[in-house]
Amino acid sequence: MPQDPAFPSVYEYALARRCTHCRAEPGLPCNAPRKHGDIASRNRIRAQVGQPPMEINPLALLHIVRVNAGSRHQDRDIAAAPWPEDREPGRRYDTLG
Ligand SMILES: [Zn+2]
């Protein structure tokens, strides 16, 4: 689904919350050493076979409970906003503040 400019991305919603899994404060990345280690290990293998590092979806570095909560928050904001045809161009309708 393309990014709707009236709302922040799910990543921004997720990052704006405290992580209930690792207790990362709002705005700070998750403390997820295994996720980082997994990506580093895959990139070492890719480097050995001459491939560039993989593109990282920033959501993959957050704990899933935080991503799901952020996604639900975005869904609530989208449901509470006017229909797309009734929105003011360039205005954001999120409640992240
Ligand atoms: Zn976390």
Side-chain angles (χ1 to χ4, degrees):
M1 194 171 81
Q3 173 71 39
D4 183 336
F7 299 95
S9 66
V10 171
Y11 178 76
E12 290 171 87
Y13 272 99
L15 200 64
R17 320 178 67 82
R18 183 188 314 274
C19 181
T20 56
H21 184 81
C22 70
R23 305 280 165 205
E25 293 292 324
L28 294 178
C30 278
N31 178 18
R34 280 189 299 192
K35 288 177 184 282
H36 286 273
D38 182 52
I39 288 167
S41 129
R42 286 180 200 210
N43 280 339
R44 274 194 301 276
I45 292 166
R46 291 175 70 97
Q48 285 169 9
V49 296
Q51 288 186 358
M54 57 184 200
E55 269 185 45
I56 296 166
N57 178 348
L59 284 174
L61 294 174
L62 298 179
H63 287 116
I64 193 69
V65 289
R66 196 179 191 188
V67 173
N68 287 344
S71 179
R72 285 192 303 270
H73 187 172
Q74 187 193 48
D75 286 348
R76 283 194 301 273
D77 280 355
I78 291 171
W83 289 106
E85 55 270 27
D86 296 331
R87 294 179 194 159
E88 292 170 35
R91 182 174 160 193
R92 296 223 320 201
Y93 289 88
D94 63 278
T95 56
L96 287 186

